[in-house]
Amino acid sequence: MRLLGFGILKGMAVTLENFVRSYFDRDRRHHLFTKEYAWEPGAPAEVLPARADTTVTAHSRNFPILLHDGADPMGGIRCVACQICERECPPQCIYIEKDYDEQGKYIKRPAIFDIDLSVCMSCQICVEVCPFDAIVMDSQFELSTANRFGGLLQHRDQLLKSNEYYHRIHPEEARARDDRMAQEKAEKEAKQAAADAAKKKAAEAKAAAEIAAEKSKPEPSAPTAGGAA
Amino acid sequence: MTQTLLNLLAIAVPLAVGFASLFAFTTWLERKILARIQNRIGPNRISLPFTRFRRLFGLIQPAADGLKMLAKEDIVPRDADKLLHLLAPILSLVPPMMVLCLLPLELPYATAGMRALQAAALDNAVLLFFAITSLNTLAVFMAGWASRNKYSLLGGMRAVAQMVSYEIPLVLSAAVVIMAAGGMNAQAIVEAQRAQWFIFTPWGLAAFLIFFIASLAETNRSPFDLPEAESEIIAGYFTEYSGFKFALFFLGEYLAIFAVSGLAVTLFLGGGAGPWVAAYPALSCVWFLAKIFALIFVMIWLRGTLPRLRVDQLMGFAWKFLLPLSLLNLFVAAAALKLAKPWLSWPVGALVLYGAAVALSRSHRADAAPRTYSYAE
Amino acid sequence: MTLNHYLVLSAILLGIGLLGVLTRRNIIVVLFSIEILFNAANLNFIAFWRFGPNPEALMGPMFALFAIAVAAAEVAVGLALVIAVYRHFKTVDLEKLDTLREP
Amino acid sequence: MSAAAATAAASYSLVRQPAMETGLLEVSMGPHHPSTHGVFRMDVRLDGETVVALKPVFGYLHRNHEKLAEGMSYLASMPFTDRLDYFNSMTNNWAYALAAEQLLPIEVPERAQYLRVIMAELTRLVNHTSLVGFFLNDLGALGTPLLYAFRERERILDLFEQASGARMMCNYFRFGGLRCDVPEGWLARARAVVDAFPRFLDEFEKLLCENEIVLARTQRVGVLSGAQAVNAGITGPMLRASGVNYDLRKVDRYGIYERFAFRVPLGSAGDCYDRFMIRLLEMRESLKILDAALRDIPTGPVMGNAPRVFKPAASETYGRVESPKGELGFYLIADGTTKPYRYRVRPPSFINLTVLEDLCVGHTIADAVVILGSVDIVLGEVDR
Amino acid sequence: MIEGVAFYILSTVAVLGALLAVSRRNLVHGVFALLLFFAALSGLFVMLMADYVAAVQVLVYVGAVGILQLFAIMLTEHVTGDDLRRLGARGWFWGLMLAVALPVVLLLPPLLNGEPPVPPAAPQSTARQLGSQLMEHYVVPLEVLALLLTGALIGAVAVAHGPEKDPPGKDRPA
């Protein structure tokens, strides 16, 4: 026999339980799930710490940044301005111009690398398609600026961050990416070494063949053979 | 002449100032309790300027809200009826303020002269209470009509219809207590409950429940907060109000809540009675306010749990459920008082009342029951 | 304040009520004026009871209570009629409600 | 003279407002109305309180998604599928990935299949909890059920953030598998969330399912018969609430759903109460699937051998998935280049919306809001 | 002295309220003036030591009758409430004459001959006495009044309800 108004009383029992236990229950109190906003008034405006229970975690991705190895930004820049990410970017928010030295020869570096943050939708396609691991996603989001028309257009120097910084914001991902790059470099060297070895062997074989040919032939034109070797 | 004036001031000023500051405290209390019910923390970021008290659990939030309300621009619609537009919030504030003096609140410092002047000693205090609270309906209508906007007019008409139809169960359930206490004098009613509070008798409990539900509807609270039902097209009668007039409406609503729960405490919960009152007479005022806040906690708790009733269900509930039940309760109480044999009249009264309640609700929503569901593989 | 003051006041209210009844063409304002007449009469009842010979008989308040109750019933029925009239005739103007008179 | 009369008449008409006779009241519950979920307008004609006619108007959130997709590579429109039904981005990704994999068959590894099922069922939990919360909000419960629902949703969104990097716009699926594997410890955290979920469901059912006011406001409101639903092409929980047994996970057996034992709850009356209860019961079934999937997920790669550039041969395909709102389908025509020739999305909430008028006529305006809440539309998907 | 000042204030408010109620073009203003008039009258009742009647007056008139008239205005022609016919609409002159003549005629006898009877001690009319008299002495009129009120209630609903319209929606919920 369903008591009259029993459903309402059961519902009220639930809310009362929530109310009372929010003061006493250990596990319930800590998941009063209002997450503290990461930024504290007066806190220095450098990198927001990646804590698990705030809005900035070790996994969140917001806007892309360019990576460079070593201390000098332009020295160790990884990006070679191959413009694959510019083509693949769904909202087309990246603009790259290649860098040329005085003689007009293309040196593998971007002269201009702009990302319009107001257009970017942080979808991480550019990170995937980049063959050189030059672009990764940052986790900082305090990027609001006063002027609307140029403020959110980030230029190459603002985008450049050190690889060590990348380790600080996304430790796990950074380690995985570095291991993969190290492994690829090792393979390339191994392949390179194998290729050198093969080329050296081929060169020796050719040299040996020539010596053999010379012995079997009289000495009519000695000076030219030396040049060909 | 001047002595009576001084006595009057000594009673009136603490009531007005006390309840107005309690209004500020209650807004904070409501937001904190609702937050805790919903696993949130509630307001805690406002800090006193120029002092080192950082957050103080958000107690300064009401002051900030009040200041914001003062600073907000007061927009009056172009073709609104200026006079009535201004008068409505005032009229919504005056009756609850007037009614607060009718509550039998023994002020700790009261001298004999003062106590004689207290309005609670009036012969028909409870009747005056209902007479003055019926003015609220006027203020609601005036606000709805004066802002000359079709939706606030419809919202106002809805609120008026709700308040008028819930006034009858309110008065009838109070009539039960007046009959039991033998008079409408508030202090006499509290005296009559010295032996036993009315809420502990079956017909008293039924009357209290009806009174409480009707007072929820009278002050547009929780399951009956139809006028400010944002999920429907009609946004309620105070849409055209902003700034301090809007705050006045809220002050009026909260004072009405204090007044109605104060009356509920007087009629059913034995006014200022409580342990140790004999030893320290000043405690009766504390007990009175504690009981009021207990009722307010239940109101906030209801607001955090229950969804809203539809207009026709709301009306049907008043006319087809509360009214017949309160009439029957009047009859049962009369019989019980006449028989005066508690061991017999109480169980019978309880049975009759509960049976009638179930029969009434079964006759309206016969098939409203949770269903079981079949599964397909 | 003596009885005459109250009698003068209720006479003035009677005059205003009559004025309303006789000169206004909108039924609802006529109902207002009838209310004013009712209240003027109530005032007289209570005044005569207050200054009358034996106040314990409570004749005045009794009459006043019954008068108030009847007046409330009268207003309810009157306004119901007004709404019915309005629905039929689409007007509340007494001038136009002359269908009883032969053309 | 006539000018004076005209102005007099004009002022006269200005002053004289038509009396409140119960003519039809034309109301437009505007694009930004607190209870229409997103930018959606309902032109309602009212006779007093009762709805006589209702015309849904939408298109305010139209972003030309399908035409855009024709100008971009297949992969580039994957992040845009997150924005379709922004409550369950993983399921949208899966539907698009499924359709694309039918164009160019790529063998999806075992671990990716399991992770796909886990992510889809987690989004079903997120969607149903949020819906039940919003539905109760429309009924007037001041946010309490909604905040209980959001408390659970937060935990699941944290899982998504750890796996894919973003809470709502995950962009996690790829043709032939997933973009990256879940971080270590993720499966244990997912197990914890799934184990804690039934406690929330019990609390929710205790709070609301027997509440007399909820019963009074939702039972026999917005009744949709089975035949009417099938004729209107309704799919998803709304169809099953009317008693029709049609769940794509059982019909198509896509992904590895046939390995999990779960049941499909069916309603009887097809009113708002059934639609509300069906979603609660479906959540319990999803929990069963999640338990099984989390228990026996293998290790291994998450990405099949997808070609460097996705360039399918000229063909057409239609891939569909049981999204929490109904049958979400992607119809693709490939013309051999890297860009799709035609890219069409079959949005479930758009089609479920077509019966809104038939459900609402005869009910009061407060019921119309509740019925709209029970239909569960998300404007991102309706307008595309 | 206090009583005199109070009497004059209340009576001027009452007369003003009545005049405004009768003469205002805007009916809603008229209703609010009428309510002011009722409130002033209830103040006069309190001065005449009939506080129970004063409370009933406020409860019945200001609370219920005022709202009833507002509803009536809303449901009839003028939502904005201004009725365009002015005071002097039809035969206002003779109306005014009668309105002045009748009270003067009624007032002359008591004013002229008798000096006002001396007011005895203030009678104590408590609700308890009224209640007991109602139950013993006036029980028959009370029952008749109850029947009258029920009849009026049902009659008003029947008259105002009008012809039964067909139910608007097809599956109208119960």
Side-chain angles (χ1 to χ4, degrees):
Chain A
M1 205 284 280
R2 235 169 43 71
L3 241 53
L4 176 73
F6 188 70
I8 292 183
L9 292 181
K10 261 172 80 170
M12 288 171 67
V14 167
T15 35
L16 184 67
E17 185 212 344
N18 265 314
F19 174 68
V20 167
R21 286 178 60 173
S22 75
Y23 284 101
F24 305 112
D25 188 334
R26 168 122 293 290
D27 81 307
R28 186 176 296 273
R29 178 150 18 100
H30 83 269
H31 71 240
L32 276 187
F33 71 100
T34 326
K35 277 190 179 163
E36 284 296 320
Y37 185 57
W39 178 78
E40 272 294 322
E46 34 76 21
V47 173
L48 302 176
R51 287 203 317 270
D53 60 351
T54 71
T55 46
V56 173
T57 68
H59 301 279
S60 52
R61 64 168 198 244
N62 276 309
F63 290 109
I65 50 172
L66 288 174
L67 285 186
H68 63 81
D69 304 323
D72 161 29
M74 279 317 289
I77 188 167
R78 291 185 183 170
C79 172
V80 292
C82 62
Q83 293 179 326
I84 291 177
C85 57
E86 185 180 18
R87 266 198 322 281
E88 282 298 321
C89 172
Q92 302 291 321
C93 69
I94 302 178
Y95 172 71
I96 302 174
E97 270 181 19
K98 291 189 165 52
D99 193 358
Y100 299 93
D101 60 6
E102 304 73 31
Q103 294 85 13
K105 197 169 78 55
Y106 158 56
I107 50 174
K108 293 191 185 307
R109 266 199 343 213
I112 298 175
F113 192 108
D114 293 350
I115 291 184
D116 186 348
L117 293 189
S118 60
V119 172
C120 168
M121 58 181 190
S122 57
C123 66
Q124 203 171 350
I125 294 274
C126 50
V127 174
E128 272 176 58
V129 296
C130 174
F132 303 96
D133 295 310
I135 189 166
V136 287
M137 299 303 272
D138 192 354
S139 65
Q140 301 308 312
F141 52 83
E142 288 294 346
L143 303 164
S144 55
T145 58
N147 81 52
R148 149 203 311 259
F149 295 107
L152 283 175
L153 185 66
Q154 299 236 324
H155 303 297
R156 180 192 60 193
D157 305 335
Q158 291 160 315
L159 288 171
L160 266 173
K161 293 274 192 324
S162 72
N163 189 13
E164 177 271 333
Y165 166 82
Y166 180 43
H167 273 277
R168 206 143 43 90
I169 48 170
H170 289 159
E172 205 177 294
E173 187 188 328
R175 220 176 310 109
R177 187 177 291 279
D178 281 359
D179 300 347
R180 192 166 44 74
M181 278 174 62
Q183 190 201 346
E184 271 164 14
K185 193 184 278 94
E187 271 163 26
K188 202 140 47 83
E189 258 120 28
K191 212 160 14 44
Q192 192 68 22
D196 293 352
K199 197 146 34 58
K200 206 172 341 47
K201 217 184 315 51
E204 277 151 13
K206 196 146 49 57
E210 267 159 13
I211 297 161
E214 245 164 33
K215 268 199 285 309
S216 64
K217 197 152 52 47
E219 290 288 329
S221 58
T224 60
Chain B
M1 184 41 193
T2 55
Q3 181 52 30
T4 48
L5 272 185
L6 276 180
N7 280 349
L8 277 180
L9 276 183
I11 297 169
V13 165
L15 271 184
V17 169
F19 275 110
S21 58
L22 279 185
F23 153 69
F25 173 70
T26 319
T27 48
W28 171 83
L29 190 73
E30 172 146 18
R31 289 176 64 172
K32 272 293 191 186
I33 293 177
L34 269 184
R36 282 291 171 168
I37 284 180
Q38 296 168 352
N39 289 322
R40 293 184 285 117
I41 296 177
N44 66 351
R45 293 194 88 90
I46 298 276
S47 59
L48 272 179
F50 320 116
T51 65
R52 43 173 187 68
F53 297 115
R54 287 312 293 162
R55 295 240 190 95
L56 216 60
F57 324 111
L59 269 172
I60 312 136
Q61 183 72 32
D65 292 348
L67 213 59
K68 178 196 72 173
M69 281 298 177
L70 275 173
K72 273 269 176 70
E73 187 216 351
D74 186 1
I75 305 159
V76 177
R78 183 169 46 79
D79 53 6
D81 191 319
K82 302 292 180 290
L83 172 69
L84 293 184
H85 193 263
L86 173 70
L87 209 57
I90 298 167
L91 191 60
S92 94
L93 183 62
V94 161
M97 195 67 95
M98 276 166 60
V99 154
L100 285 177
C101 69
L102 287 171
L103 301 177
L105 201 61
E106 286 104 17
L107 302 172
Y109 54 85
T111 65
M114 271 193 235
R115 196 163 289 116
L117 278 175
Q118 267 200 311
L122 263 178
D123 180 13
N124 37 35
V126 177
L127 183 63
L128 260 182
F129 184 95
F130 291 125
I132 294 174
T133 40
S134 69
L135 289 181
N136 255 336
T137 331
L138 270 180
V140 166
F141 184 84
M142 203 189 273
W145 185 77
S147 35
R148 201 56 68 79
N149 141 4
K150 183 161 64 176
Y151 298 137
S152 56
L153 178 62
L154 289 178
M157 298 291 279
R158 262 182 176 190
V160 162
Q162 170 185 328
M163 290 166 106
V164 164
S165 49
Y166 274 92
E167 210 169 307
I168 300 157
L170 198 75
V171 171
L172 282 178
S173 55
V176 168
V177 170
I178 295 168
M179 188 168 56
M184 283 194 281
N185 181 337
Q187 278 162 352
I189 292 176
V190 169
E191 284 311 312
Q193 291 177 50
R194 186 163 298 289
Q196 182 196 31
W197 292 356
F198 281 131
I199 193 169
F200 294 137
T201 62
W203 37 267
L205 179 65
F208 174 73
L209 287 180
I210 296 171
F211 188 91
F212 189 71
I213 293 173
S215 70
L216 279 181
E218 196 69 27
T219 53
N220 295 340
R221 283 290 300 187
S222 161
F224 308 98
D225 52 358
L226 217 61
E228 62 262 9
E230 72 289 345
S231 67
E232 292 157 22
I233 49 167
I234 296 175
Y237 50 87
F238 44 74
T239 40
E240 297 298 342
Y241 285 90
S242 59
F244 201 62
K245 285 189 197 151
F246 188 72
L248 279 186
F249 268 114
F250 265 88
L251 180 57
E253 188 194 322
Y254 274 93
L255 286 181
I257 289 172
F258 282 131
V260 163
S261 30
L263 186 66
V265 164
T266 323
L267 292 177
F268 300 98
L269 299 173
W276 309 306
V277 167
Y280 311 94
L283 262 183
S284 80
C285 189
V286 169
W287 278 114
F288 197 90
L289 288 178
K291 287 177 198 163
I292 286 186
F293 274 100
L295 285 181
I296 286 180
F297 172 76
V298 173
M299 284 190 185
I300 297 172
W301 178 17
L302 276 173
R303 178 161 183 228
T305 320
L306 296 184
R308 193 174 292 126
L309 273 171
R310 213 177 40 208
V311 177
D312 49 333
Q313 289 165 347
L314 189 111
M315 290 300 164
F317 186 67
W319 291 97
K320 296 184 196 151
F321 184 77
L322 280 189
L323 188 55
L325 209 60
S326 48
L327 285 175
L328 180 73
N329 190 19
L330 206 62
F331 180 74
V332 163
L337 286 171
K338 202 65 191 138
L339 276 175
K341 283 203 280 295
W343 52 270
L344 171 69
S345 57
W346 278 21
V348 167
L351 213 62
V352 164
L353 285 174
Y354 185 71
V358 170
L360 273 173
S361 86
R362 193 58 48 77
S363 69
H364 296 315
R365 306 282 311 172
D367 57 0
R371 300 184 187 130
T372 58
Y373 287 87
S374 65
Y375 287 85
E377 260 324 298
Chain C
M1 299 316 291
T2 65
L3 178 61
N4 288 359
H5 292 79
Y6 289 100
L7 291 187
V8 166
L9 175 62
S10 66
I12 296 170
L13 294 181
L14 173 75
I16 297 172
L18 268 181
L19 192 69
V21 167
L22 297 177
T23 54
R24 284 305 289 265
R25 286 174 43 174
N26 184 332
I27 306 179
I28 296 177
V29 182
V30 170
L31 278 178
F32 288 172
S33 334
I34 292 173
E35 279 312 306
I36 297 176
L37 293 176
F38 259 110
N39 276 336
N42 271 348
L43 186 64
N44 265 350
F45 276 128
I46 301 290
F48 277 112
W49 163 71
R50 170 70 174 80
F51 299 100
N54 55 352
E56 303 73 35
L58 290 179
M59 289 288 285
M62 212 49 78
F63 258 94
L65 286 180
F66 278 104
I68 288 177
V70 168
E74 178 269 338
V75 164
V77 174
L79 290 175
L81 286 177
V82 163
I83 291 172
V85 154
Y86 174 72
R87 179 178 301 118
H88 185 65
F89 288 99
K90 283 285 173 285
T91 170
V92 279
D93 180 358
L94 287 175
E95 282 301 305
K96 296 195 180 63
L97 304 181
D98 50 9
T99 48
L100 279 184
R101 223 169 358 127
E102 82 284 356
Chain D
M1 209 330 254
S2 67
T7 48
S11 70
Y12 177 84
S13 70
L14 181 68
V15 166
R16 206 179 112 81
Q17 268 182 347
M20 220 177 55
E21 85 276 0
T22 55
L24 292 185
L25 185 68
E26 180 69 35
V27 166
S28 100
M29 283 168 66
H32 51 82
H33 185 276
S35 77
T36 53
H37 304 243
V39 268
F40 169 74
R41 181 158 70 98
M42 289 199 295
D43 281 353
V44 190
R45 218 165 319 115
L46 290 175
D47 166 16
E49 281 283 324
T50 323
V51 173
V52 171
L54 181 139
K55 186 163 82 66
V57 175
F58 35 74
Y60 293 92
L61 202 56
H62 180 61
R63 294 155 298 186
N64 206 359
H65 169 57
E66 287 161 356
K67 188 61 186 170
L68 273 180
E70 285 163 14
M72 287 187 296
S73 72
Y74 283 89
L75 179 64
S77 57
M78 176 63 91
F80 286 111
T81 57
D82 295 337
R83 270 94 177 155
L84 273 178
D85 173 358
Y86 38 77
F87 265 98
N88 23 35
S89 65
M90 295 282 194
T91 318
N92 304 342
N93 291 355
W94 192 357
Y96 182 49
L98 208 63
E101 276 153 19
Q102 285 168 7
L103 278 181
L104 190 66
I106 305 167
E107 198 271 331
V108 178
E110 217 29 37
R111 183 174 172 91
Q113 291 285 15
Y114 272 90
L115 274 178
R116 281 184 171 184
V117 166
I118 292 172
M119 292 303 178
E121 291 311 317
L122 281 178
T123 43
R124 196 178 311 280
L125 291 184
V126 161
N127 177 75
H128 285 341
T129 46
S130 320
L131 161 82
V132 169
F134 285 126
F135 180 67
L136 266 305
N137 222 9
D138 290 347
L139 277 176
L142 256 309
T144 311
L146 186 60
L147 278 157
Y148 288 173
F150 271 19
R151 176 188 69 204
E152 298 312 315
R153 179 168 174 262
E154 285 301 319
R155 290 209 198 95
I156 297 180
L157 291 190
D158 289 348
L159 288 180
F160 286 160
E161 178 170 29
Q162 282 145 28
S164 72
R167 290 157 53 87
M168 281 173 74
M169 302 298 157
C170 306
N171 185 14
Y172 186 51
F173 284 56
R174 287 296 175 270
F175 312 136
L178 302 171
R179 168 157 52 82
C180 57
D181 201 343
V182 287
E184 88 275 354
W186 189 86
L187 290 173
R189 279 195 292 273
R191 161 67 61 193
V193 166
V194 167
D195 292 347
F197 213 83
R199 186 166 56 82
F200 155 71
L201 278 183
D202 303 341
E203 183 185 55
F204 222 73
E205 273 170 14
K206 212 151 73 93
L207 179 66
L208 295 166
C209 291
E210 292 172 20
N211 189 323
E212 273 78 4
I213 299 178
V214 169
L215 296 185
R217 284 280 314 262
T218 52
Q219 291 199 338
R220 287 210 311 278
V221 166
V223 178
L224 177 68
S225 68
Q228 203 182 350
V230 169
N231 291 343
I234 307 277
T235 53
M238 233 176 118
L239 181 66
R240 291 191 287 277
S242 305
V244 177
N245 173 12
Y246 180 75
D247 182 335
L248 285 181
R249 293 175 294 180
K250 293 279 183 183
V251 168
D252 274 6
R253 295 194 186 296
Y254 61 91
I256 48 171
Y257 270 111
E258 70 275 358
R259 296 189 198 163
F260 303 109
F262 66 97
R263 303 178 305 175
V264 175
L266 293 179
S268 48
D271 54 9
C272 282
Y273 185 74
D274 271 1
R275 288 192 276 274
F276 162 68
M277 282 304 288
I278 286 291
R279 287 176 170 116
L280 282 180
L281 298 174
E282 268 186 15
M283 279 201 266
R284 289 195 185 273
E285 299 307 319
S286 300
L287 284 175
K288 283 192 203 137
I289 300 176
L290 278 168
D291 275 346
L294 282 171
R295 193 179 55 244
D296 43 27
I297 176 170
T299 60
V302 282
M303 190 60 191
N305 42 29
R308 195 87 184 90
V309 177
F310 189 79
K311 191 188 256 191
S315 62
E316 63 171 347
T317 174
Y318 177 69
R320 57 183 184 174
V321 150
E322 174 66 31
S323 110
K325 293 191 171 44
E327 172 193 328
L328 172 67
F330 279 79
Y331 172 70
L332 301 172
I333 298 179
D335 59 357
T337 68
T338 61
K339 296 184 171 60
Y341 174 75
R342 173 74 173 102
Y343 170 101
R344 163 87 171 99
V345 177
R346 185 228 185 249
S349 29
F350 175 78
I351 292 169
N352 293 353
L353 205 54
T354 49
V355 285
L356 189 63
E357 172 158 33
D358 310 339
L359 296 182
C360 289
V361 165
H363 292 289
T364 66
I365 188 71
D367 290 340
V369 168
V370 172
I371 293 166
L372 177 65
S374 75
V375 170
D376 180 18
I377 58 166
V378 163
L379 266 299
E381 191 172 57
V382 170
D383 295 343
R384 288 183 306 285
Chain E
M1 203 285 284
I2 282 283
E3 213 183 311
V5 168
F7 172 76
Y8 282 116
I9 294 173
L10 283 175
S11 48
T12 44
V13 166
V15 168
L16 206 64
L19 262 181
L20 278 179
V22 164
S23 62
R24 282 298 288 179
R25 265 185 48 179
N26 185 331
L27 275 84
V28 178
H29 287 192
V31 168
F32 285 126
L34 194 66
L35 294 176
L36 199 65
F37 164 73
F38 292 146
L41 230 62
S42 110
L44 284 171
F45 287 155
V46 168
M47 282 186 54
L48 286 167
M49 292 303 162
D51 51 8
Y52 185 77
V53 177
V56 166
Q57 157 97 354
V58 168
L59 187 65
V60 170
Y61 273 111
V62 177
V65 169
I67 300 287
L68 208 57
Q69 278 162 350
L70 282 175
F71 269 81
I73 295 174
M74 287 300 124
L75 289 178
T76 52
E77 206 172 16
H78 302 287
V79 173
T80 57
D82 49 10
D83 153 24
L84 283 165
R85 261 87 52 209
R86 286 294 305 150
L87 191 61
R90 59 180 170 84
W92 62 273
F93 177 71
W94 290 108
L96 192 64
M97 281 306 120
L98 188 62
V100 168
L102 196 59
V104 166
V105 162
L106 289 176
L107 256 175
L108 282 183
L111 277 192
L112 288 184
N113 51 28
E115 87 296 343
V118 65
Q124 196 53 28
S125 84
T126 65
R128 180 181 297 279
Q129 285 167 338
L130 274 173
S132 54
Q133 283 226 354
L134 261 178
M135 274 305 144
E136 289 130 9
H137 194 55
Y138 294 97
V139 115
V140 171
L142 189 64
E143 297 313 324
V144 167
L145 184 65
L147 287 180
L148 176 117
L149 284 180
T150 329
L153 179 68
I154 296 165
V157 168
V159 166
H161 202 278
E164 184 54 45
K165 290 204 293 294
D166 54 2
K170 43 193 179 324
D171 53 357
R172 190 90 174 74

